[in-house]
Structure formats: C-alpha cells, structure tokens
Amino acid sequence: MEVKPIKCFLLDHGYSTLTSAPCCDTQLGSPCVTSFSELHSNPRYLEIKQSMDQGVWHKACEYCRVVEQRDDNIKSKRQLLLSKLNNTIEKDTLLELQLAPGYFCNIQCRSCTPYLSSSWVSEYRSMPVVILAAQKNPFPNDITQVYPPALYDYANDDWSTIKYVDFVGGEPIYNNEFYVQLKKLVDETGGESVVSFSTNGTIVMDFKKHPWIAKFKEMHICVSVDSVGPSAEFIRTGTNWNKVEQTIQFYKLMPQFKNHISYHLTNSVLNILETDNTLTYLESLGVPRTNLTIHVSDPVYLSYSVLTHDEKIEIIKQIQDTRAEYVIPALNDCSYNPDHRSQFLLFMEHTKNYHGMDWKDYVPALYKIMNQQNK
C-alpha cells in the first residue's frame, strides 16, 4: 500500500522561539535546540519527521490531529499553512519564524499565567493552591518574576530567507525587544518579509519613534478580542474596551495595516454566550476573523468541562443557528468534571476578591445558566 506522507510546512521550514521547535504546539524536550540551524539534526525532530513522512501522526502533533479529525469544518494550523508549500520545496531553509521577544504584558487575561504575562505574577502568588494545582504547568506560588522566553541564538540563523514572521507575547508592543527584533528583520530582509503580530489592543505601535517600520511592504495585525463591552474587560482583565475600539480604528487608517487587520478570539466557557455578539460587532466594523480556532483546555477550570449536561443543552439551544454554533462540536467533546467546576467557582471568587469584579455582573447569561440549580 502506498504511503501518503502527512505534509507540514512548519516541520520543514518553521521555527518557533516560543518552544524551540517547528511550531508553538510542538515540544522537542531534551536536548534543547537554540536555533533553526540546529533543529533538523535534533533526535526528537528526526523522530517526528520520520513518523509524519510515513503517514503516521506523531504524538507531538496531537493538536492538529485532533482538530482535523473533528467534523466541524475548522482547519488545523497544518492545513492552513499547506498552501505555502507551493512557494518552495527547498529543505532546511528558514521561511517562517515565530518570535517570542518576551512575556511583558499589561493585562491579566483570565486564561493566562505568568508563562505568558508578566502582569500575572503578583496575582498568581495570591491564588488558592487548589486552583494552582489544576493547571497543567503550574508555577511555584512564590514566583517573583516573569518566566523567561526560550533561548534563541540569532547569530546561528540566516534571516535573509525569511518570508513570514509572527510575533507573539505577552504584549509585543509593550516590549522594547519587539522593536529590536523587528529592526533586525527589516535590515536583513529589506522589508520583504510579511510581518504579523498579535496585540491586546490596549496600546499602539510608536511609528514616530520607529519610522523604519514603514519599510515593511506588508504587515498584518491581529487584535485579540474575546468579547466586547464589560465582558471583554472581565475576560481580559485590565482591558479598557473603549481603548480597544480606538486601537482598531487607528490601525484601520494606517497604510501598512489598512487591508491586513483581523481579530482572534480564544474560546472558553467565559465567552461561549458572548461569541455571537462579539463576531457580529467586529463584522460590522469590517474586521475579519482569523481562520485559527482555539478552545481553552488549560486551565481546565475555564474549559467546557465545568458545564453539566443540562447546562450544555441549554447553551446549545442559545447558540444554535448563530455565529457561535461552531463551538458546539468542541462543547460536546468535553465531558463534565465536577472538580473542574469547583475550581472554576473558586477562580471566580478569587477574581472577585482580587480585582473587585463579580462574574454575575460581567457574564450574566453564563452566571444565570450555571446557577439555575440554586434557585
């Protein structure tokens, strides 16, 4: 029987400094690589590559496999990037680079941790141990500083071949290292690479201080928006929604971003009943949604596993035949876990005590459904 390889653009041409691996969803473990030039000789990488070339999904690529096997018309990262294979078949060439310049951030999204946000450090230290223990990669509760980004040795890699660059954070614009790396890119590629980055929308790029940004011929900005209005300020704690609206309008008027602004929504139990309204509003602004869909699985207490069977049925009734109905298959795939629910309620109480924000005031529709049994 003919073997049909599972092709992956990132496996051949990608490098993520977030994980020191081909993409941010893959972990190579020890020995750790520090540059793309070391990647293709790494034993773990070779194992993954051999498996995929033989048409067998490797467990390191589990995230894409699960997405592709779910019957909901949502494409995996691998599928979304397959079209880029037409651009080149040359191996061992760095074409796509995901840069994590650091995890400095100015807000505390409810689904985040100090792994990705410096402003989460002090809050994390105040959280009940039972909530910390529920996280897949818990920090010690005496943490005093943000987790450092993975080591990346710039000198070992040739950036002149790079076609696509994606900056992740933290909040990249909040971090001076973002501008340092961006300047290196424009110097080595002449502005020919396509630059993309995500932002929480609370601050904007400083074009006056860094006028060389205009040398990039194509820049894409993705605003992370999980909800709109008061619920946005709860889910992405520290956000000023009016400021986010102003930021979106600012970038829409900038020549570099005029036709390249989009938004990304991270799906969790907190915004499941806010999603239709969010998508409708952003569509009215002419801002498209990215094709990549993410459902929170960690922390588990913000996954759909906090919902009982009856609550899921009621939620499905409310989102069926709306823009939020794409969530339904993932919702059905997630079994109820009473421990996760208990942790969710503790986390809501923690958020109320720490930030003075009660979830019943910010996500009232969810609160009502999850408290029906108490009436």
Side-chain angles (χ1 to χ4, degrees), residues 355-366:
H355 291 285
M357 304 177 79
D358 194 329
W359 66 301
K360 70 179 181 181
D361 299 325
Y362 291 88
V363 283
L366 177 68

Side-chain angles (χ1 to χ4, degrees), residues 10-17 20-22 28 31-43 45-46 91-97 151-159 161-162:
L10 292 178
L11 199 55
D12 288 329
H13 303 291
Y15 185 71
S16 171
T17 66
S20 299
L28 295 183
C32 182
V33 300
T34 60
S35 65
F36 176 79
S37 60
E38 296 179 1
L39 179 62
H40 290 182
S41 60
N42 177 271
Y45 169 85
L46 293 173
K91 293 188 176 180
D92 299 328
T93 301
L94 179 57
L95 297 177
E96 176 138 350
L97 179 62
L151 177 64
Y152 179 40
D153 191 344
Y154 295 171
N156 282 352
D157 284 346
D158 177 10
W159 283 17
T161 62
I162 295 174

Side-chain angles (χ1 to χ4, degrees), residues 102-255:
Y103 304 128
F104 293 108
C105 192
N106 57 332
I107 64 174
Q108 307 87 47
C109 300
R110 293 299 80 198
S111 60
C112 203
T113 74
Y115 276 109
L116 297 173
S117 172
S118 58
S119 65
W120 246 100
V121 173
S122 59
E123 177 174 357
Y124 196 86
R125 297 183 66 185
S126 72
M127 286 173 63
V129 174
V130 66
I131 301 179
L132 300 181
Q135 298 180 355
K136 292 181 181 178
N137 298 297
F139 266 80
N141 59 9
D142 61 349
I143 182 175
T144 58
Q145 62 183 7
V146 68
Y147 191 80
L151 177 64
Y152 179 40
D153 191 344
Y154 295 171
N156 282 352
D157 284 346
D158 177 10
W159 283 17
S160 66
T161 62
I162 295 174
K163 301 299 182 184
Y164 313 97
V165 185
D166 181 30
F167 284 92
V168 296
E171 169 54 51
I173 303 175
Y174 191 63
N175 189 343
N176 186 62
E177 181 64 17
F178 166 68
Y179 292 101
V180 172
Q181 295 180 357
L182 204 58
K183 184 63 165 63
K184 176 178 170 65
L185 276 167
V186 79
D187 289 343
E188 295 198 15
T189 68
E192 294 294 329
S193 56
V194 177
V195 175
S196 303
F197 64 93
S198 297
T199 176
N200 58 39
T202 60
I203 52 179
V204 297
M205 295 181 75
D206 192 339
F207 291 91
K208 291 182 178 179
K209 185 177 180 181
H210 308 287
W212 45 263
I213 294 175
K215 293 182 180 180
F216 286 105
K217 294 183 179 180
E218 186 173 338
M219 299 187 78
H220 296 244
I221 183 169
C222 180
V223 185
S224 296
V225 180
D226 293 344
S227 192
V228 297
S231 56
E233 297 181 349
F234 180 81
I235 296 169
R236 289 184 169 265
T237 319
T239 292
N240 180 309
W241 175 246
N242 290 333
K243 177 63 177 175
V244 174
E245 288 184 302
Q246 293 169 11
T247 296
I248 291 173
Q249 295 298 339
F250 171 82
Y251 284 119
K252 286 182 67 178
L253 296 174
M254 295 299 294

